[in-house]
Amino acid sequence: MYQKREMRKINEDKKSLQSTSINWFPGHMAKTRRQITEDLKMIDVVVEILDARIPNSSQNPDIRQITQNKKKIIILNKYDLADNAKTEKWIEYFNKKERKVVLADSLTGKGVNETTRQIQKMADKGRIGRKIRVMIVGIPNVGKSSFINRIAKKTSAEVGNKPGVTKQKQWIRINEKIELLDTPGVLWPKFESQKVAMNLAITGTIKDDILELTEVAYTLTKFMLENYRNNLLQRYSLDEKQINEILNQEQAENEN
């Protein structure tokens, strides 16, 4: 009976969330967006860091729009946690849009040297004397600060396992040719898609009070069971027969 009540509540919460778009926008993010727009005037290359598990959901549409006329490198960070087959499709997608893609893991430093090489290759043509100025952008908790510390080979950016650690912009010297402008992670004013909001919640990009945690956990578990069941069973040493029995029981109760 308890399980039945819990499942009914989850489904009611889901319907409520799906019927309304999520509208929020902290003041510091509005300020950051304005500052990025202004600073772009002196930038040669934009490096945009996305979460390889959710490239579309982790790309701020506002930033995509205001940086569209700049030379850009797309970093698919945390690629080691993503589905390789789907990552290849995303690489093809961005390449068609004439965007260079680099796979990265900011914890190990994978992709850092390739990013530096691509920045110099992209900006060196016709350049004499002046340093290459790079802006690095990304949503909160996408691994931006960790990546910057790797590429700068020092602890230049504050790192934390929560959204919103970087509070203000800062210039960082990468080498004798490249200067990098770090910016705070910024989201956009309104999540029109429930799926986007849920993806951001699951990956820890938005704070816990934006969406109901029970709903987030339910959605993630459902997705894993439907798409990566064997991985889930192996990771947590679960018995598939027992899981199937539970799922069948829940389905029967929900239909009543």
Side-chain angles (χ1 to χ4, degrees), residues 176-208:
E176 67 279 1
K177 289 186 175 182
I178 301 174
E179 290 181 341
L180 187 148
L181 178 61
D182 181 21
T183 59
V186 58
L187 289 166
W188 54 104
K190 190 173 184 180
F191 302 140
E192 296 289 353
S193 166
Q194 168 68 15
K195 181 179 179 181
V196 168
M198 188 59 67
N199 285 343
L200 294 176
I202 288 171
T203 53
T205 297
I206 57 180
K207 295 182 178 180
D208 293 345

Side-chain angles (χ1 to χ4, degrees), residues 84-149:
N84 291 335
K86 292 184 177 180
T87 297
E88 288 299 322
K89 291 181 179 179
W90 279 110
I91 292 174
E92 292 177 11
Y93 169 81
F94 286 115
N95 285 341
K96 287 179 181 178
K97 293 183 174 293
E98 298 182 348
R99 299 300 189 192
K100 178 63 183 178
V101 178
V102 176
L103 300 181
D105 175 5
S106 57
L107 295 181
T108 64
K110 163 73 176 179
V112 165
N113 291 337
E114 177 62 13
T115 300
T116 301
R117 191 179 74 83
Q118 290 298 329
I119 289 172
Q120 295 186 178
K121 181 179 178 181
M122 192 172 286
D124 269 348
K125 296 179 180 179
R127 177 179 302 276
I128 300 176
R130 189 170 67 85
K131 290 183 180 295
I132 303 168
R133 287 190 162 181
V134 179
M135 176 183 286
I136 190 162
V137 295
I139 64 174
N141 209 35
V142 78
K144 186 162 57 66
S145 295
S146 296
F147 187 82
I148 288 171
N149 289 336

Side-chain angles (χ1 to χ4, degrees), residues 5-256:
R5 286 198 303 269
E6 286 297 298
M7 292 302 299
R8 184 183 297 117
K9 182 180 185 301
I10 287 172
N11 289 330
E12 288 173 354
D13 289 342
K14 183 185 292 187
K15 290 177 182 177
S16 174
L17 286 166
Q18 288 175 342
S19 63
T20 57
S21 60
I22 299 172
N23 194 351
W24 71 293
F25 199 45
H28 74 276
M29 290 193 178
K31 180 180 179 181
T32 298
R33 186 175 61 172
R34 291 193 298 269
Q35 189 63 57
I36 288 174
T37 302
E38 181 64 26
D39 290 339
L40 276 172
K41 297 174 183 177
M42 55 182 173
I43 295 299
D44 302 301
V45 178
V46 172
V47 172
E48 184 173 18
I49 298 186
L50 305 180
D51 189 322
R53 299 167 295 179
I54 53 168
N56 184 57
S57 297
S58 61
Q59 186 171 48
N60 185 330
D62 290 347
I63 299 300
R64 180 176 60 218
Q65 194 276 325
I66 64 177
T67 61
Q68 63 181 341
N69 294 323
K70 287 289 183 177
K71 296 176 181 177
K72 183 184 287 188
I73 297 171
I74 298 292
I75 304 294
L76 292 181
N77 195 31
K78 306 179 185 180
Y79 84 101
D80 56 310
L81 302 177
D83 185 316
N84 291 335
K86 292 184 177 180
T87 297
E88 288 299 322
K89 291 181 179 179
W90 279 110
I91 292 174
E92 292 177 11
Y93 169 81
F94 286 115
N95 285 341
K96 287 179 181 178
K97 293 183 174 293
E98 298 182 348
R99 299 300 189 192
K100 178 63 183 178
V101 178
V102 176
L103 300 181
D105 175 5
S106 57
L107 295 181
T108 64
K110 163 73 176 179
V112 165
N113 291 337
E114 177 62 13
T115 300
T116 301
R117 191 179 74 83
Q118 290 298 329
I119 289 172
Q120 295 186 178
K121 181 179 178 181
M122 192 172 286
D124 269 348
K125 296 179 180 179
R127 177 179 302 276
I128 300 176
R130 189 170 67 85
K131 290 183 180 295
I132 303 168
R133 287 190 162 181
V134 179
M135 176 183 286
I136 190 162
V137 295
I139 64 174
N141 209 35
V142 78
K144 186 162 57 66
S145 295
S146 296
F147 187 82
I148 288 171
N149 289 336
R150 284 287 183 178
I151 200 170
K153 296 181 175 61
K154 57 184 177 181
T155 306
S156 302
E158 186 178 357
V159 178
N161 188 26
K162 60 181 180 179
V165 173
T166 304
K167 299 299 183 183
Q168 59 186 1
K169 70 175 184 178
Q170 56 176 326
W171 283 101
I172 300 166
R173 183 178 180 274
I174 303 303
N175 55 38
E176 67 279 1
K177 289 186 175 182
I178 301 174
E179 290 181 341
L180 187 148
L181 178 61
D182 181 21
T183 59
V186 58
L187 289 166
W188 54 104
K190 190 173 184 180
F191 302 140
E192 296 289 353
S193 166
Q194 168 68 15
K195 181 179 179 181
V196 168
M198 188 59 67
N199 285 343
L200 294 176
I202 288 171
T203 53
T205 297
I206 57 180
K207 295 182 178 180
D208 293 345
D209 56 355
I210 302 300
L211 288 178
E212 173 61 45
L213 285 179
T214 305
E215 167 67 5
V216 175
Y218 171 84
T219 302
L220 175 58
T221 303
K222 183 174 183 291
F223 173 82
M224 292 298 294
L225 286 172
E226 290 176 349
N227 296 276
Y228 302 100
R229 178 172 297 201
N230 289 337
N231 300 72
L232 191 65
L233 295 177
Q234 292 174 12
R235 173 64 177 82
Y236 295 102
S237 302
L238 301 175
D239 181 81
E240 185 171 12
K241 182 179 179 181
Q242 185 178 14
I243 293 298
N244 288 335
E245 289 175 354
I246 293 174
L247 292 174
N248 291 333
Q249 181 183 3
E250 290 178 348
Q251 184 177 7
E253 288 176 344
N254 286 333
E255 290 175 351
N256 293 333

